[in-house]
């Protein structure tokens, strides 16, 4: 297969990469296409429905659902960065992606992924204020604060991704161009770089590690305070169950996102773990975004009722 390389300054420079995909077994590709297309369809439909309901239903114009709308938007965009290209490659003999396309995919993957990681502790803080400071909720979680927090995390996510995309694009790629992944991620690209990648690996472990661990710690802290408050202050079993049920949906989303991400990025790079990394990446980039709307619609009565009313009205 032509590696499509050009000579620059007496050095061969890669102008495109070849994404090797999910598996090396070609016979599985049609089956995987159907599975991943179905999951992607569920993601777009479910998150699109949540986003639409949050925008159209005035009763859902509250901080909790404002953040839920942001999460739905992020889930749609996050999967769209990788899944369409993966589906195309499952049916195509050409697995090529241009150098610019590869860096762009890397940038938006980390931009949207880190923004979602930063959004989750904000959602946990919203639940903390609603449960532990109910009388001051409307004052604390006002529209201005919610807007400022949301804009801040989107900007932080963008800058975090920009750091990695710029640092990766500055590396020299002069050897093989076969990426052992179904999308352009930092670790597989660093394996192909010719020069010194120690700084890139340090930034990946330190910066991305901080982006993942700090929100996880803050989310855990919020839930620790919520659970402590409920057991110490709430003497009604029904109120306790309602409050914990409200938090359970968000906590499930937190576990589904953070655990695979922490496992994939915090551990040292290993060439023997390529297949394992791909499976983990499928979990947090393909499966989890599709599960989020199911978790929220199945467990959230207000969202469920709003969806049912809209569907009945259209039918």
């Amino acid at each position: 297969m032509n590696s499509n390389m050009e000579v620059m300054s007496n050095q061969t420079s890669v102008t495109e990469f070849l994404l090797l995909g999910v598996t090396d077994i070609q016979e599985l590709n049609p089956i995987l296409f159907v599975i991943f297309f179905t999951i992607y369809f569920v993601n777009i439909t479910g998150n699109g429905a949540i986003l639409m309901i949050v925008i159209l239903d005035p009763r859902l114009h509250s901080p909790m659902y404002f953040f839920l709308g942001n999460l739905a938007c992020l889930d749609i965009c996050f999967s769209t960065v990788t899944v369409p290209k993966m589906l195309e490659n499952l049916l195509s003999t050409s697995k090529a992606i241009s150098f610019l396309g590869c860096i762009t995919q890397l940038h938006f993957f980390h931009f949207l992924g880190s923004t979602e990681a930063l959004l989750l502790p904000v959602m946990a803080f919203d639940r903390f204020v609603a449960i532990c400071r109910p009388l001051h909720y409307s004052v604390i979680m006002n529209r201005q604060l919610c807007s400022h927090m949301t804009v801040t995390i989107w900007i932080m996510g963008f800058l975090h991704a920009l750091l990695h995309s710029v640092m990766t694009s500055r590396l020299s790629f002069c050897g093989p161009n076969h990426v052992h992944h179904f999308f352009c991620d930092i670790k597989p690209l660093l394996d192909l770089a010719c020069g010194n990648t120690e700084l890139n690996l340090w930034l990946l472990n330190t910066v991305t590690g901080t982006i993942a661990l700090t929100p996880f710690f803050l989310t855990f802290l919020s839930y620790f305070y919520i659970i402590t408050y409920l057991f110490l202050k709430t003497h009604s079993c029904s109120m306790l169950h309602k409050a914990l049920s409200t938090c359970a949906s968000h906590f499930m989303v937190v576990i589904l996102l953070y655990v695979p991400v922490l496992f994939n990025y915090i551990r040292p790079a290993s060439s023997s773990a390529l297949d394992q990394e791909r499976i983990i990446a499928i979990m947090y980039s393909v499966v989890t975004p599709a599960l989020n709307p199911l978790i929220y619609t199945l467990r959230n009565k207000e969202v469920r009722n709003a969806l049912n009313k809209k569907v009945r009205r259209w039918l």
Side-chain angles (χ1 to χ4, degrees), residues 72-93:
C73 179
L74 282 166
D75 280 335
I76 292 171
C77 298
F78 188 44
S79 282
T80 303
V81 171
T82 57
V83 177
K85 183 64 178 176
M86 178 179 69
L87 293 174
E88 179 192 333
N89 288 346
L90 284 170
L91 298 183
S92 172
T93 53

Side-chain angles (χ1 to χ4, degrees), residues 149-170:
M149 285 195 297
T150 305
V151 170
T152 300
I153 61 176
W154 278 83
I155 292 172
M156 286 176 66
F158 180 84
L159 293 176
H160 165 248
L162 188 64
L163 172 69
H164 287 305
S165 56
V166 169
M167 291 299 294
T168 306
S169 66
R170 290 171 62 89

Side-chain angles (χ1 to χ4, degrees), residues 35-170:
I35 293 170
F36 291 134
F37 179 83
T38 304
I39 295 172
Y40 185 59
F41 179 78
V42 170
N43 173 8
I44 300 298
T45 306
N47 283 301
I50 287 178
L51 194 57
M52 179 194 64
I53 289 298
V54 168
I55 293 170
L56 295 179
D57 197 323
R59 290 167 298 179
L60 300 183
H61 290 177
S62 66
M64 176 182 172
Y65 295 106
F66 171 71
F67 296 131
L68 180 58
N70 271 270
L71 181 66
C73 179
L74 282 166
D75 280 335
I76 292 171
C77 298
F78 188 44
S79 282
T80 303
V81 171
T82 57
V83 177
K85 183 64 178 176
M86 178 179 69
L87 293 174
E88 179 192 333
N89 288 346
L90 284 170
L91 298 183
S92 172
T93 53
S94 172
K95 315 288 186 182
I97 183 171
S98 68
F99 183 88
L100 179 61
C102 189
I103 296 299
T104 302
Q105 189 181 54
L106 181 153
H107 173 80
F108 280 97
F109 179 82
H110 283 271
F111 166 36
L112 298 164
S114 56
T115 302
E116 182 163 333
L118 292 166
L119 177 65
L120 294 178
V122 172
M123 295 176 75
F125 176 71
D126 171 70
R127 292 299 83 210
F128 165 75
V129 178
I131 293 168
C132 302
R133 302 287 185 272
L135 298 178
H136 303 100
Y137 180 74
S138 58
V139 177
I140 297 171
M141 299 302 293
N142 57 70
R143 182 173 294 182
Q144 187 178 21
L145 178 65
C146 293
S147 300
H148 285 170
M149 285 195 297
T150 305
V151 170
T152 300
I153 61 176
W154 278 83
I155 292 172
M156 286 176 66
F158 180 84
L159 293 176
H160 165 248
L162 188 64
L163 172 69
H164 287 305
S165 56
V166 169
M167 291 299 294
T168 306
S169 66
R170 290 171 62 89

